[in-house]
């Protein structure tokens, strides 16, 4: 049983609860995932349910088992959406086998309703979400182990972006070598850089920003710019990510040739920070459409990028200065889109007429 909060009752009323009402979109989303899980991937509850045997001690037999009776049911403190998702998958989606699924639980023994409320608050308020870049890394690991089909289609672009970002950071010849802040890494502090000046050219680009900035290139999955012009439908995600990486290396290699100052002292400019990453990746599709039209081979892309970007007002180091540069004034996602639109307009005005 659960104890939902009732707005018509006073908070001191003994029948007043503390939980939110069930959210059916969440229940259906998880229930559909349970129902759609393939045979090779056994559905597991992501976290334990937190249950309570309120005001009574749990009756534990000598063999360690617990027998519940109708007059002494366990209360759900945290996990009502997961429980109802199982019910939805079993009764609405017909997945009878889930009746026998093993579900981990933690039981609070002999606590009061106030104790339950405090545990509910702690679980839902104090818990910290896992960083996005680590979640994407876990998705990529899952895809490698179980195949592309184990990942819902709307998330597959994240794996391609993750693998390309990881490779860009690892490749010594990449313009992004050691510049990406990987999961469980942090941006070096000023004191650390003073003690080790080499850190000034490391760990600057947040992996999440890099991955999200690539979404317009590879989403929607199966019908993106790269799907239409570069990827073959039979390709693995690994091959798709390596092709994306090759294009990005050429693109940023050209930018490095045109703006070496921004790579020599990257922390003095915003080119390799969020404003630059998002806006330059907004510009990339515009240039790629021209390269696809003239059927330029990927091996020639860096030279093509250089010739087409050279002379753009934005391809000047002062444009990207962190202190007073035009690009530094754009500090939100809306601003990054505006900056990207500005770069695209500049390109259309200055690009060569093939």
């Amino acid at each position: 049983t659960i104890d939902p909060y009732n707005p018509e009752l006073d908070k001191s009323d003994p029948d007043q609860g503390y939980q939110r009402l069930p959210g059916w979109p969440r229940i259906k989303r998880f229930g559909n995932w349970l129902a759609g899980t393939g045979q090779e991937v056994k559905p597991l509850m992501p976290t334990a349910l937190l249950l309570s045997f309120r005001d009574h001690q749990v009756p534990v037999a000598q063999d360690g088992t617990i027998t519940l009776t109708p007059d002494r049911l366990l209360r759900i403190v945290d996990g009502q959406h997961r429980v109802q998702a199982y019910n939805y998958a079993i009764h609405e989606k017909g997945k009878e086998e889930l009746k026998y699924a093993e579900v981990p639980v933690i039981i609070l023994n002999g606590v009061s309703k106030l104790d339950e409320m405090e545990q509910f608050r702690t679980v839902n308020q104090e818990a910290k979400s896992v960083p996005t870049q680590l979640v994407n890394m876990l998705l990529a690991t899952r895809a490698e182990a179980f195949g592309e089909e184990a990942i819902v289609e709307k998330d597959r672009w994240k794996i391609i972006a993750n693998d390309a970002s990881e490779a860009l950071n690892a490749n010594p010849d990449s313009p992004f070598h050691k510049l990406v802040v990987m999961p469980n890494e942090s941006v070096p502090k000023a004191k650390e850089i003073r003690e080790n000046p080499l850190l000034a050219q490391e760990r600057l680009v947040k992996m999440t920003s890099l991955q999200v900035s690539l979404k317009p290139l590879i989403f929607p999955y199966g019908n993106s710019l790269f799907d239409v012009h570069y990827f073959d439908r039979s390709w693995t995600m690994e091959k798709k990510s390596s092709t994306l990486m090759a294009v990005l290396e050429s693109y940023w290699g050209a930018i490095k040739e045109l703006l070496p100052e921004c790579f020599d002292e990257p922390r003095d400019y915003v080119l390799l920070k969020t404003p630059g990453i998002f806006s330059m990746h907004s510009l990339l599709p515009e240039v790629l459409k021209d390269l696809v039209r003239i059927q330029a081979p990927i091996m020639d892309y860096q030279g093509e990028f250089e010739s087409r970007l050279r002379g753009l007002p934005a391809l000047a180091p002062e444009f990207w200065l962190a202190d007073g540069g035009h690009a530094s004034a754009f500090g939100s996602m809306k601003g990054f889109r505006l900056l990207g639109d500005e770069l695209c307009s500049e390109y259309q005005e200055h690009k060569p007429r093939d």
Side-chain angles (χ1 to χ4, degrees), residues 26-41:
R26 292 181 62 196
I27 291 169
K28 288 183 177 180
R29 187 164 59 247
F30 186 33
N32 288 332
W33 177 82
L34 288 170
T37 302
Q39 294 296 322
E40 71 282 359
V41 185

Side-chain angles (χ1 to χ4, degrees), residues 74-136:
L74 291 167
R75 296 180 179 274
I76 302 171
V77 178
D78 187 69
Q80 61 164 318
H81 288 88
R82 283 165 278 166
V83 171
Q84 295 199 48
Y86 268 95
N87 285 330
Y88 174 79
I90 293 168
H91 300 295
E92 300 296 328
K93 307 299 286 188
K95 303 296 285 187
E96 292 287 321
E97 63 270 25
L98 290 177
K99 287 182 178 180
Y100 309 101
E102 295 183 359
V103 178
V105 300
I106 296 171
I107 300 176
L108 302 174
N109 197 7
V111 299
S112 68
K113 181 158 65 171
L114 286 175
D115 292 326
E116 293 174 12
M117 291 173 62
E118 180 59 22
Q119 289 298 316
F120 181 81
R121 185 200 67 81
T122 300
V123 168
N124 289 281
Q125 183 172 314
E126 302 299 332
K128 184 172 181 175
S129 61
V130 178
T132 302
Q133 64 266 34
L134 183 56
V135 171
N136 290 345

Side-chain angles (χ1 to χ4, degrees), residues 2 5 32 53 90 95 124 145-146 166 168 201 215 217 229 232 261 268 318 328 351:
I2 63 172
Y5 177 80
N32 288 332
F53 208 65
I90 293 168
K95 303 296 285 187
N124 289 281
F146 299 111
E166 190 177 10
L168 285 169
Q201 296 188 340
K215 185 176 181 180
L217 301 172
H229 296 297
D232 188 280
E261 302 90 342
D268 293 341
E318 57 271 16
S328 67
K351 72 176 184 179

Side-chain angles (χ1 to χ4, degrees), residues 197-262:
L198 292 177
L199 292 177
Q201 296 188 340
E202 296 182 10
R203 285 182 277 147
L204 180 65
V205 183
K206 294 182 179 179
M207 192 173 190
T208 304
S209 297
L210 181 56
Q211 291 174 353
V212 175
S213 74
L214 296 174
K215 185 176 181 180
L217 301 172
I218 52 179
F219 184 85
Y221 190 81
N223 195 35
S224 67
L225 173 68
F226 267 68
D227 281 301
V228 172
H229 296 297
Y230 294 95
F231 298 159
D232 188 280
R233 289 191 177 274
S234 64
W235 285 5
T236 62
M237 285 190 288
E238 181 181 3
K239 188 168 183 179
K240 291 177 180 179
S241 66
S242 65
T243 301
L244 175 63
M245 187 192 73
V247 173
L248 292 173
E249 283 189 339
S250 296
Y251 183 58
W252 284 96
I255 295 169
K256 186 175 182 179
E257 289 294 322
L258 298 170
L259 291 171
E261 302 90 342
C262 297

